[in-house]
Amino acid sequence: MLDYDDEAAEYDRTRGGLPRADAAASALGALLPQQGVVLDLAVGTGIVAERLDALGHRVIGIDLSTGMLRHAARRLPGRVARADATALPLPNDSVAAVTAVWLLHLLDDAEPVLAEVARVLRPGGLFLTTVDKAAAMRPAGALPPTRIPSDGCALLTALGARHRLRLSTATSFLGHGQARPGYEDPNYPVLGFRLET
Ligand SMILES: C[S@@+](CC[C@H](N)C(=O)[O-])C[C@H]1O[C@@H](n2cnc3c(N)ncnc32)[C@H](O)[C@@H]1O
């Protein structure tokens, strides 16, 4: 995995900036409940979470990188914390929704995150996550992945079911500025899993 403390200063500029964040937030926001807290896993610099907040959602965020969190803390003062997505500092059944944009593809195994998501979500709550990031990048000129992706749609659907997270909805957003020269911008799929009641 990249060292996101090193990436933090250039992250927004090199990851599509506000156009990418707006596209992600409007895709997620259209599916999120208007009531209750939304936990953004891997909030990063907060660029997507801030846009979700601007759409009227009550967003809190966690991330492992203090460098990334320094930016997020300016965007969402008092609402971000350093934590691992596999050990969330939140009580059971405490949030209405969880989001994860560009997290699960970084992990060796997404299942510990799914287990934590299922623990902190209220029954009926929604987990929205980007999936199949490497496959989405192929039309944008990226090389094939060198390992089985940890964010594959079929894999997450199977692992989610172990934790009572049932596939329920889907959307996508445009990764503005993410293509190699001469290629088209990628469209990133997002799946929604609902926690059984
Ligand atoms: C590609 S960035 C995505 C940031 C943000 N979601 C966005 O879309 O702009 C990945 C982020 O995941 C964070 N991260 C990686 N592993 C993590 C973990 N186990 N728990 C929490 N955050 C993690 C990194 O520190 C980094 O900020």
Side-chain angles (χ1 to χ4, degrees), residues 76 88 114 138 149 154 190:
L76 298 166
L88 297 172
L114 297 178
R138 290 304 306 277
V190 174

Side-chain angles (χ1 to χ4, degrees), residues 20-188:
R20 192 277 302 190
D22 271 329
S26 69
L28 298 174
L31 298 174
L32 288 172
Q34 280 298 330
Q35 304 297 320
V37 170
V38 176
L39 168 65
D40 189 32
L41 301 181
V43 64
T45 62
I47 193 166
V48 175
E50 182 186 47
R51 308 315 294 163
L52 278 176
D53 195 64
L55 293 173
H57 300 285
R58 287 173 53 208
V59 186
I60 60 174
I62 64 98
D63 201 284
L64 269 184
S65 159
T66 48
M68 298 287 270
L69 282 169
R70 211 167 287 129
H71 297 268
R74 281 198 286 271
R75 289 182 160 127
L76 298 166
R79 287 191 278 152
V80 296
R82 185 171 186 281
D84 193 318
T86 64
L88 297 172
L90 288 168
N92 297 353
D93 304 352
S94 55
V95 300
V98 179
T99 54
V101 176
W102 293 352
L103 169 65
L104 299 185
H105 71 288
L106 298 172
L107 310 176
D108 291 333
D109 180 7
E111 188 167 5
V113 175
L114 297 178
E116 273 298 83
V117 168
R119 183 183 69 74
V120 302
L121 268 182
R122 289 184 193 149
L126 185 65
F127 175 45
L128 293 177
T129 178
T130 49
V131 297
D132 282 319
K133 185 166 189 276
M137 288 293 293
R138 290 304 306 277
L143 297 172
T146 52
R147 62 174 171 89
I148 295 174
S150 50
D151 67 340
C153 168
L155 178 61
L156 293 180
T157 302
L159 295 178
R162 286 186 183 164
H163 299 278
R164 300 182 299 119
L165 289 164
R166 302 287 175 193
L167 186 58
S168 71
T169 188
T171 186
S172 66
F173 65 88
L174 194 65
H176 294 270
Q178 294 292 286
R180 292 186 172 206
Y183 289 86
E184 61 199 68
D185 279 340
N187 238 299
Y188 292 106

